[in-house]
Amino acid sequence: MPSEALHLRPAAPRTTGPEGAVPVAHGVHWIGALDPGLRSFDVILKTANGTTYNSYLVRGTEGVAVIDTVKAEFAPAFFERLEAVARYDEIRYIVLNHLEPDHTGAVPELIRRAPQAEILLSPRGLPMLRALLGEAFATAQVKPVTTGHAVSLGNRSLAFFNTPYVHWPDTQCTWLPEERVLFTCDLFGSHFCDGRLFEDRVDDFRHAFDNYFDRIMRPFRSFVISALDLIEPLDFAMIAPAHGPILRAAPRDWLARTRALATPRTKAETAEKVLLIFYVSAYGATAQLAQAIHDGAEEEEGVRVSLFDLEGADIGPFLDLIEEADGLAIGTPTINGDAVRTVWDLLARLVDIETRGKMGAAFGSYGWSGEAVRLVETRLQGLKMRLPEPGLRVKLHPSDEELEEGRAFGRRLAQQLTGRAPPREIDFAELAAR
Ligand code: FEO
């Protein structure tokens, strides 16, 4: 654990931050930057408390490693802090746990100043690094690392754990066993700017931690659980993320909190497969079709089917249900050549949860052109869902025969979920040919 002296360090102003590099553990300094004015991250996430870009410097008897950097506009503060504790010719390794620009903005200039440094990153980070460096990539010292790889700094070492999709495919964690510090980049982060840096010194940030998980990590929650399983056996005394407070007082509590956040929110009430059917209906025709699909699916044993009219509904409460469902069918009329706004609102929110691999389907009534069903299908495929059936479209109100086709459509969807029908997936070429 960190020494008592570290805990007694005078509090720094909340948003202006500490002067110079900040000791984090023996041989480890924080050399990051504060961004108290940030109000929107990646365009999608409001950040009322700003954020920090945490970068760390690890010194060993045989060199120095820099772990992650900062957003480009904060590079001057990063270099000033770095220069307070190391020379550029001492830098042996630059560890890039994740290549999103908020962590790599200072990398091109850093390798210009420290060309001898070897860049360590996951294999999936290579294309991003090539794009980041441009021509400089050709002369950079680059070494892909993954779980099982380690490098030495003399009396300290760094080991790597491949933890993809927390938050991009390239993400990894870096372990400093001699000080029991785990550097996790986005994982365990929070958009919360407080210059006192440490969990036990800053204001209450639990809301920011949870919100960060919901908006950044939740779509990848199964990957988060895999990452937690991989790193939990480590005897860590500190989690050093790349955003927000450094977790040193109760790091395992934050791991447990993250595991709880990544665990299904709705407890499965049944061992049956779950099919949710959402629809919007202008004149009742799509509603009739939705009911027929529901009734057909219900004929299949082992499937629990639920039908929801989206008109007037808040989308938020449905997200937990959808996250736990096995299949999703969405019905929309075509109005002005498009699906209706409420349906798009639902589809837009699906980016916040894990949808990869779920079964999807679309259906709807139309008057003239009927594009909406195909547009919804395209969106579902974009969400990495599996579409086993071409969408079901009917002109105006469904006839008795079309209602029977709706019931058959529902039965086939249900059979895909139970496995009584062979797994099937349509592709874009098939869609285009229709
Ligand atoms: Fe903090 Fe995914 O970048």
Side-chain angles (χ1 to χ4, degrees), residues 41-42 98 100-103 167-168 185-186 191 212 216 242-243:
F41 181 82
D42 273 2
H98 172 33
E100 195 165 7
D102 52 325
H103 307 295
H167 132 247
W168 276 3
C185 203
D186 279 351
H191 288 314
Y212 177 97
I216 302 285
H243 296 293

Side-chain angles (χ1 to χ4, degrees), residues 26-45:
H26 296 297
V28 183
H29 282 84
W30 176 87
I31 56 170
L34 272 56
D35 188 359
L38 187 78
R39 290 296 175 267
S40 170
F41 181 82
D42 273 2
V43 187
I44 60 166
L45 170 58

